[in-house]
Amino acid sequence: VAPLPQPRLEHGAGRRRRHQECFQQLLPGCEIFLDVDDLKNIGELEAYIGRSQVVLCFLSRGYLRSTNCLREIRAALEMGKPLVLVHEADPDKGGGTLAELRSECPEELRADIFDAGWPMVV
């Protein structure tokens, strides 16, 4: 029996190292890609999404206004990659209400991100 390919997760901005350690404990053998730490060339962003199995979107203030974060989401949606939304609700940690974060999202992406039934954790 051939071994299964290692899962790869795309991880957006946030408390990077703590999240990475938690995922590695929960999903042993899983390769975690941290865009801000592991991406050597921003031009390769979509290629990394292509190699990912799941894309975690850490919804915080400004995330959905970031050009590169939107590139990640658009690429994931175009490639049919599943999203997992992580809602940072605490304003002291850069979060906001879901309504506030949704209002930051470009209108053409709102339904694809917020109304598509993706799993969401707070």
Side-chain angles (χ1 to χ4, degrees):
V1 175
L4 294 174
Q6 283 193 331
R8 186 187 239 348
L9 296 175
E10 165 65 27
H11 186 297
R15 290 174 275 323
R16 299 181 307 272
R17 285 289 158 223
R18 189 169 62 99
H19 288 141
Q20 183 179 29
E21 290 168 5
C22 288
F23 284 120
Q24 287 173 331
Q25 288 176 3
L26 291 170
L27 303 167
C30 183
E31 181 181 348
I32 309 293
F33 168 74
L34 301 171
D35 55 2
V36 296
D37 292 343
D38 300 329
L39 185 63
K40 306 297 184 229
N41 178 345
I42 194 65
E44 297 175 5
L45 185 62
E46 289 80 3
Y48 275 96
I49 296 293
R51 292 192 300 267
S52 298
Q53 292 180 349
V54 176
V55 177
L56 300 179
C57 301
F58 284 78
L59 302 177
S60 58
R61 286 191 309 266
Y63 176 81
L64 292 166
R65 289 190 305 239
S66 163
T67 300
N68 288 327
C69 292
L70 290 172
R71 280 178 60 199
E72 291 174 349
I73 291 175
R74 285 187 174 106
L77 292 170
E78 289 169 7
M79 295 177 197
K81 303 293 181 174
L83 303 179
V84 174
L85 307 178
V86 181
H87 173 206
E88 177 56 72
D90 186 342
D92 292 333
K93 296 179 180 175
T97 67
L98 203 52
E100 291 168 336
L101 299 175
R102 182 183 177 106
S103 72
E104 292 184 356
C105 183
E107 192 169 336
E108 73 275 7
L109 290 175
R110 286 181 190 163
D112 291 335
I113 295 170
F114 291 97
D115 302 331
W118 301 116
M120 182 182 298
V121 295
V122 180

